[in-house]
Every structure is written in C-alpha cells, then in structure tokens.
Amino acid sequence: MTDRETLDFDDPMQRPRFTGLATFFRLPYREDFEADPPRIGVCGVPYDGGVTNRPGPRHGPREVRNQSSLMRRVNQATGVNPFQATTVADIGDAWIRKPYELVGAHQEIEDYFQRVKAAGIRALTCGGDHSVTLPILRALAAGGPPLGMIHIDAHVDTGDNYLGSRFHHGAPFKIAVDEGLLDPKKVVQIGIRGALYQRDSSKFSFESGMRVMMIEEVEERGWRACIDEACEIVGEMPIYVSFDIDCLDPAYAPGTGTPEAGGLTMREAQGMIRRLKGLDIRGADMVEVSPPFDVGGITALNGATVMYELLCVMAE
Ligand code: MN
Ligand code: MN
C-alpha cells in the first residue's frame, strides 16, 4: 500500500496517474478535513433531486474525480501550479442521508458547507444538479452581506414554482436573491439561450437587475469583452462562481440533463475562467455533469478541466 499522504504528487514517476482510488486531481482524500484544513477544499455533492428533465448528476462527482486524473499540475497557459500556490485537498462528498426529501437534503448540504466554512476552507464543488448551489450560498452568505456572482449557464435559473415546487435546478438564484444571499445588481449571467416556456420566463433576472448576457451577445461582442465587463461589475466584492456544464455546446457536453444547442466552446469557457484572476472568489462550483448521458467521458473530462481552471484562479 502506498501512503497517499507522503506521496509526491508532482512526480509521475512515483505513481502512474491511472492507478489507485480516484480523488479530485489525485489529491489526498480528507473527509475529516477539520483535523488539517486545506486553504481550498475540492468536494462533491452527489445529489440530483432537483432535476426537471434527464437525471444523473448524482453520479457526477465520482466520474469527474475519475476524469480529473488526466489533469496535470501546471497550467500551461498561465504558468500557475495551484497545488504549489496553496494547500488543496479532496474533502469528500456532501452526501445525503435522506435523499428522498429535497428541502431536507438541501439542509444537509448547507450543514456540510457550514462545516467547510467554519474550518476556513474555500470550497470548489462538483455537483450534483444546480439546485445544490442554493444551500451552498446559504452557508457562504450566512451572517454577512450578499455575495456577487458570475454565473455561466445556458439557463438563468431564476424560475419559480414548477410542478408544485420552488426548489429545483431551475430556480436556485431567485430564491438566493429573495433570501438576501446574492446582490442581484452584482450578478452576471453569461451564455443564456434556448427556447422558453413563455416569452417572459427570464423576467426575474432582468427585473431584479442582473446583467444577462445572452449567447448572441457573447457571439457579437466576443467572450473577452463580456467577461471583462462581468469582472468590472463585481469589482472587488466577495463573489461566488457557478459554472453549469450546459453552458457549453452539446458537442462539448452531451452528458447533461438539459442540453441547449448553440453554446460556448470549451476554449471560450477556459479563456473566460482564466480572466477571473484577482477576483475575491469565496467559492465556486461546476454542476450538472450527468455521466449516464455522457459519451466517452467527454463531459466529465470537460467538467474536470473547468474545475482545474477554477482551482488555478482560486489558488492565485
Ligand atoms: Mn443550465
Ligand atoms: Mn443551471
């Protein structure tokens, strides 16, 4: 048996990347993270009780961990080695003891992230469906001013009642604004597209003052101008970054519950995340990878790559 705590993760000669148990980026696995808290904790929320169509993101963390073993150490574009710049560990999963009751499950997720926050750890989370971002925000924003947010997604996720519930993956950010967790004037939503139930389905985003950048605007102005404006809007305030894998074109992310044609390329997404350098990122997530609908692991690999890019900007 190899002692993972003493393993030199920088040395591929010590251990081939395809061996052993899969953790995020082959990091040490520390479920008891309070004992030795890292600055950044990478974790999973294997829960998809909030999906409105195709299910499966409960399997996301395990498969993204698997694909993340393909990640190496140094970001070739920025020169950053996040594992050297700060302390990072895989802090396990916020797994649900009673998964059949969504509001209770959200409470369990919030409890986990309160523990993470109390330990002084900034969390980089792998979903799970997008409903899990609400309990994360509840834990992060508790007892403080509302956060800003950069939200990259095909959907605004500011819906309301759907089939008798407000708590699903199409509504976390309306509830977060209603509860004072997010300052809507410091929320930027990028990559929005797809057909709507009604013409005004996204009205909460617009009426509350969020800056909504449709995919057509990204196409016309270019992703660089869009993300630069997003960074200007949030400025130096504490923010959360939420990346729904369905912001990518289905060519890059077929394994997701609500794919929308005509999306971002992976290269655009990588470029946008790299430009978040220097922002006060209090937490970030990558959600909605659904391995049962994936093809050859492409969605999970892109999800792992997005998390790596987020880790790099959080570590700097
Ligand atoms: Mn979405
Ligand atoms: Mn979403």
Side-chain angles (χ1 to χ4, degrees):
M1 272 298 269
T2 308
D3 179 356
R4 295 186 68 80
E5 296 295 326
T6 60
L7 195 67
D8 180 355
F9 283 83
D10 276 329
D11 186 355
M13 302 306 286
Q14 282 199 17
R15 181 147 192 179
R17 291 183 290 148
F18 50 83
T19 64
L21 301 177
T23 64
F24 287 114
F25 312 116
R26 306 170 70 242
L27 288 162
Y29 191 72
R30 264 186 232 152
E31 273 191 316
D32 55 342
F33 50 80
E34 281 102 338
D36 181 15
R39 300 279 302 277
I40 298 176
V42 191
C43 60
V45 184
Y47 181 74
D48 60 12
V51 297
T52 55
N53 203 333
R54 308 195 301 194
R58 72 180 62 179
H59 304 289
R62 181 170 281 189
E63 191 51 30
V64 171
R65 279 189 175 94
N66 187 28
Q67 294 294 333
S68 76
S69 68
L70 284 156
M71 303 291 106
R72 301 186 189 87
R73 318 306 290 176
V74 180
N75 189 316
Q76 199 157 193
T78 64
V80 173
N81 178 343
F83 310 99
Q84 222 162 43
T86 190
T87 51
V88 196
D90 184 329
I91 57 169
D93 284 337
W95 60 274
I96 311 303
R97 285 161 179 79
K98 293 180 178 171
Y100 305 114
E101 204 272 295
L102 191 144
V103 173
H106 280 177
Q107 183 63 54
E108 290 188 53
I109 296 166
E110 182 183 341
D111 293 345
Y112 173 89
F113 283 93
Q114 272 168 357
R115 271 179 61 207
V116 172
K117 183 184 172 191
I121 299 169
R122 290 196 184 190
L124 170 58
T125 304
C126 177
D129 72 53
H130 220 157
S131 78
V132 308
T133 306
L134 176 64
I136 296 172
L137 290 172
R138 281 175 174 155
L140 285 189
L147 298 164
M149 182 173 70
I150 292 181
H151 169 213
I152 309 178
D153 198 326
H155 313 97
V156 289
D157 292 351
T158 50
D160 202 346
N161 181 47
Y162 179 67
L163 302 176
S165 176
R166 297 179 67 219
F167 301 97
H168 52 82
H169 73 162
F173 303 124
K174 178 182 189 300
I175 301 169
V177 170
D178 288 346
E179 294 184 2
L181 313 174
L182 290 174
D183 176 353
K185 294 188 169 53
K186 300 291 180 180
V187 171
V188 186
Q189 305 189 297
I190 307 173
I192 310 304
R193 63 188 188 276
L196 303 166
Y197 286 115
Q198 281 113 24
R199 194 182 285 266
D200 66 350
S201 286
S202 303
K203 70 175 179 196
F204 183 85
S205 288
F206 292 101
E207 288 174 1
S208 65
M210 295 182 183
R211 175 72 171 92
V212 183
M213 298 181 184
M214 315 297 284
I215 197 75
E216 291 77 15
E217 182 180 349
V218 178
E219 168 75 8
E220 280 161 27
R221 293 177 64 208
W223 61 267
R224 291 177 185 83
C226 289
I227 199 68
D228 287 352
E229 185 192 332
C231 290
E232 260 169 50
I233 287 169
V234 299
E236 292 177 357
M237 78 181 302
I239 64 159
Y240 191 77
V241 179
S242 195
F243 188 103
D244 184 328
I245 201 74
D246 70 29
C247 72
L248 298 176
D249 191 89
Y252 301 90
T256 195
T258 45
E260 303 287 354
L264 297 169
T265 68
M266 188 58 196
R267 213 154 53 201
E268 290 169 329
Q270 285 172 291
M272 285 200 282
I273 295 169
R274 286 173 193 155
R275 263 170 141 89
L276 305 180
K277 176 186 167 183
L279 299 183
D280 185 5
I281 301 171
R282 298 297 172 98
D285 63 40
M286 187 288 301
V287 298
E288 298 281 357
V289 170
S290 176
F293 290 98
D294 206 358
V295 179
I298 183 175
T299 314
L301 174 63
N302 283 335
T305 305
V306 163
M307 290 181 73
Y308 174 75
E309 296 287 354
L310 287 167
L311 178 62
C312 289
V313 289
M314 288 172 77
E316 269 185 282

